[in-house]
Amino acid sequence: MLMITGATGALGKLVTARLSDREDVVVGTRTPGPGGRRVDFDDPSSLDFTGVDTLLVISAGAAEDDVVTTRHEAVISAAEKAGVGHLVYTSLSGDGDHLTYALAHRWTERRLRRSTLNWTVLRNGLYAEFLAAVAAPGPDGTIAAPLGDGRLAAVAREDLADVAVRVATDPAPHAGRTYELVGEHPLGGTDLAHAVGGHYEPGTLAATREAITAAGQALPFQIPMLLSTYSAIAGGFLDGTSIENNQLRTLLGRAPRPALDVYVEEVLSPSGV
Ligand SMILES: NC(=O)c1ccc[n+]([C@@H]2O[C@H](COP(=O)([O-])OP(=O)(O)OC[C@H]3O[C@@H](n4cnc5c(N)ncnc54)[C@H](OP(=O)(O)O)[C@@H]3O)[C@@H](O)[C@H]2O)c1
């Protein structure tokens, strides 16, 4: 049996859609429908992985570090206890260590290496869809995201779903491997503006922090998450050049989807994720 956690999230939905014709796939989610299992990392009593051969753990990273590490400890411990054959974990690309949310991913990777499980780590780059959410043009076409002259090696979420499916459906050859999965053509503010017919006038981190705070939609922990993302892009850390062995194309077995196309599609018709 292959179980997928985080199945109602944006990545999880893409993964489960690709596996809909398989009878041995079980959807693990906090809100299960028919045939699904309740899996809530915050409730250890829901973490029964009996009979699971492969567990695809989609990270539950939208929380403070101590919450995320407690969640991931609970799920890995439960997988060890149940004798899960192989755990595949969606992590963060190796160039993301300056992001505030890197710590929980690296903690989880370390915990996996110490575990009794066979494991594979998929170090996902930041999504092109996420870039559209954090660097969208305003009503007058201005992109004011503080990306400076930096660029992001963004990757289409669908490509990451394809890789996750490939690895999770035949995990044995990938045991003990950590795969870097980032886009091949990094995108900067000028590229984005050009693609949507707008213009790029990067703001400052301070102005952006004020705007996010004033909008009142971000939870307290999300403000440093967003600011560290802008700062790491602007600082040139996320353009993919420091990734030595990008496995995206190899594991896809084809060229990656152009991240710029995904950005434009998402800006024109936001999926809300
Ligand atoms: N690479 C990037 O650009 C990027 C951007 C944003 C987030 N991420 C990370 O990648 C993950 C997947 O991305 P996504 O786009 O699918 O995010 P998403 O749409 O926010 O989905 C995240 C999923 O995490 C699951 N989750 C949250 N709390 C949980 C808990 N207590 N127990 C079990 N599952 C829990 C939920 O699944 P259920 O509701 O089905 O239980 C939720 O749907 C995120 O959780 C985050 O860690 C990456």
Side-chain angles (χ1 to χ4, degrees), residues 37-50 74-75 78 81:
R37 274 204 212 169
R38 182 169 163 268
V39 171
D40 182 346
F41 298 170
D42 292 325
D43 175 7
S45 73
S46 73
L47 303 179
D48 178 5
F49 299 128
T50 309
V75 75
K81 194 172 157 202

Side-chain angles (χ1 to χ4, degrees), residues 6-11 29-30 39-42 58-61 71 125-127 130 157:
T8 67
L11 180 62
T29 169
R30 291 169 300 171
V39 171
D40 182 346
F41 298 170
D42 292 325
I58 295 185
S59 57
R71 284 177 181 166
L126 296 187
Y127 309 142
F130 177 65
R157 202 192 257 116

Side-chain angles (χ1 to χ4, degrees), residues 3-123:
M3 181 184 276
I4 298 141
T5 75
T8 67
L11 180 62
K13 273 188 200 150
L14 294 173
V15 169
T16 52
R18 284 158 169 72
L19 294 168
S20 58
D21 60 341
R22 282 183 59 140
E23 288 179 0
D24 63 337
V25 172
V26 173
V27 163
T29 169
R30 291 169 300 171
T31 51
R37 274 204 212 169
R38 182 169 163 268
V39 171
D40 182 346
F41 298 170
D42 292 325
D43 175 7
S45 73
S46 73
L47 303 179
D48 178 5
F49 299 128
T50 309
V52 175
D53 302 301
T54 304
L55 184 64
L56 171 59
V57 176
I58 295 185
S59 57
E64 300 281 5
D65 285 346
D66 54 352
V67 173
V68 181
T69 55
T70 301
R71 284 177 181 166
H72 291 177
E73 170 60 37
V75 75
I76 293 170
S77 294
E80 288 177 318
K81 194 172 157 202
V84 166
H86 197 118
L87 190 152
V88 180
Y89 173 69
T90 62
S91 186
L92 170 70
S93 55
D95 55 4
D97 282 342
H98 294 284
L99 301 166
T100 58
Y101 39 101
L103 186 145
H105 284 296
R106 300 294 175 250
W107 183 95
T108 306
E109 292 181 6
R110 202 160 62 170
R111 174 67 181 84
L112 275 176
R113 285 196 293 272
R114 283 202 310 259
S115 76
T116 56
L117 298 162
N118 292 313
W119 54 265
T120 305
V121 169
L122 304 178
R123 284 187 162 181

